[in-house]
Amino acid sequence: MAGMTMKGAEVIAAMKEKMFRDVTELKSQGIEPVMHIIRVGARPDDLAYERGARKRMESVGIRLDVTELPEDISQQDFVTAFRRINDDPDVHGIMLFRPLPPALDEEEIAGMINPVKDVDCMSPVNIARVFSGDSGGHAPCTAEAVMEMLDFYGIELSGKRVTVVGRSMVVGKPLAMMLLKKNATVTMCHTRTKDLPGACRQAEVIAAAAGRAGMITADMVSEGAVVADVGINVNEEGKLCGDVDFPGVSEKAAAISPVPGGVGGVTTSVLAAHVVRAAQILAKQDAAAQ
Ligand code: NAP
């Protein structure tokens, strides 16, 4: 029998309701939450992401501003432009589209961004917080989106065997740390893992974040496991798909997230939630300074 489908839209709706209340409260204090995207050039993927982010932000009352910089900007001019936005008291969240052109140094920016405004987790301060189990910063949005989804559907993690496939700094590693904080017993897999099917079969929860279309097949999944699919791939037929072979795995899984319609869209809601939280923290800091 097919398992429950964990739908991104349901998670997004619940998050939206809470955010709308929080934004209304901020606005009653005269604060309009503002997210600022900094884009060097105009890559089609970045523009598509920006459109999605704008829709999601504006639906809860967050304003989205964008600064587009020329691709041939010097590091000095880039830093000056970044500093102006970073220091602007009316900006609460900043996201810098990456990768940057090769002539620009991302690390200098990561080191100077105000960690409160760093809603996309590029600052070493926020990264260190995730790895030390401190939930006071902003975690990488996709990793947090998986946690939001598991939480929304009431998936208990304490003491559970969880296998994470993928160890990137944006998804796999921070996700493993967040699962560990929830007291899961985490196994991390990557391209050198000797027995990936075995590591998946022993798991009660699988998070697939490898970027390989349909690589998690039904024979790799135990009956009754929960499967969160983070992958966004294009298959041989040119269709968007995840890392999990949905038709086969959904027959065995107790719960599974689809692609599209799963974790992907929740990521933008997490980004919006970070902006709201940043605005709340900055408002408290302002009040304390007065
Ligand atoms: P990445 O940087 O390419 O990392 C992929 C990870 O998966 C690496 O750690 C790699 O291992 C591992 N891996 C690749 N093939 C494998 C295999 N056959 N067996 C075991 N492990 C394997 O990718 P990423 O940025 O983390 O993204 C992962 C997926 O999530 C992609 O499909 C991406 O599009 C998607 N994604 C979605 C969102 C969203 O939902 N909004 C956001 C970000 C990413 P090694 O370390 O050994 O190379």
Side-chain angles (χ1 to χ4, degrees):
M1 202 184 70
M4 167 179 69
T5 301
M6 298 188 286
K7 294 190 182 119
E10 292 183 349
V11 187
I12 291 166
M15 291 180 74
K16 182 174 174 179
E17 206 175 300
K18 181 180 183 308
M19 270 190 275
F20 194 77
R21 270 186 273 125
D22 288 348
V23 171
T24 304
E25 169 65 27
L26 281 164
K27 286 191 174 168
S28 75
Q29 298 166 36
I31 299 160
E32 180 186 33
V34 173
M35 159 87 177
H36 202 114
I37 285 180
I38 303 172
R39 180 158 49 69
V40 182
R43 278 189 303 253
D45 281 3
D46 291 347
L47 294 176
Y49 187 92
E50 195 176 294
R51 277 194 297 275
R54 179 178 301 285
K55 214 168 130 196
R56 193 65 54 81
M57 301 280 162
E58 289 178 351
S59 75
V60 292
I62 299 170
R63 194 175 91 211
L64 177 68
D65 292 342
V66 178
T67 293
E68 180 178 328
L69 300 168
E71 275 179 76
D72 60 356
I73 193 169
S74 68
Q75 178 74 11
Q76 200 186 356
D77 289 350
F78 179 49
V79 167
T80 304
F82 189 88
R83 181 168 292 125
R84 186 177 45 77
I85 296 160
N86 199 32
D87 292 347
D88 183 342
D90 292 332
V91 172
H92 305 102
I94 300 173
M95 182 180 188
L96 171 66
F97 282 148
R98 293 170 282 169
L100 294 172
L104 296 179
D105 175 16
E106 182 179 313
E107 278 193 23
E108 187 175 356
I109 299 295
M112 65 188 270
I113 190 169
N114 178 345
V116 178
K117 299 186 180 188
D118 175 34
V119 289
D120 192 34
C121 194
M122 69 182 297
S123 159
V125 174
N126 280 321
I127 294 166
R129 279 187 175 141
V130 175
F131 280 74
S132 62
D134 169 359
S135 44
H138 303 297
C141 296
T142 307
E144 193 174 324
V146 175
M147 299 303 288
E148 283 284 349
M149 175 166 270
L150 295 175
D151 182 57
F152 178 84
Y153 284 101
I155 311 298
E156 177 60 47
L157 291 166
S158 183
K160 292 284 176 68
R161 294 183 303 277
V162 182
T163 291
V164 178
V165 186
R167 57 173 165 180
S168 76
M169 278 300 284
V170 280
V171 194
K173 269 186 204 162
L175 176 58
M177 293 304 121
M178 293 163 96
L179 290 161
L180 206 52
K181 188 169 166 59
K182 292 281 180 189
N183 299 312
T185 300
V186 183
T187 301
M188 292 188 70
C189 299
H190 43 81
T191 53
R192 308 292 171 90
T193 298
K194 287 228 168 84
D195 180 16
L196 180 66
C200 289
R201 268 196 296 271
Q202 59 91 34
E204 294 161 279
V205 179
I206 298 172
R212 298 281 177 270
M215 69 174 282
I216 307 292
T217 47
D219 59 305
M220 295 166 73
V221 177
S222 289
E223 202 73 46
V226 171
V227 182
D229 192 351
V230 184
I232 299 179
N233 316 295
V234 177
N235 67 14
E236 287 161 358
E237 295 148 30
K239 281 195 183 146
L240 202 64
C241 71
D243 287 358
V244 178
D245 172 31
F246 190 90
V249 173
S250 62
E251 288 300 316
K252 287 176 94 177
I256 181 168
S257 69
V259 178
V263 174
V266 181
T267 302
T268 324
S269 290
V270 169
L271 185 69
H274 286 179
V275 179
V276 174
R277 192 159 60 134
Q280 289 167 332
I281 296 170
L282 291 165
K284 271 197 198 126
Q285 286 180 354
D286 269 0
Q290 274 161 22

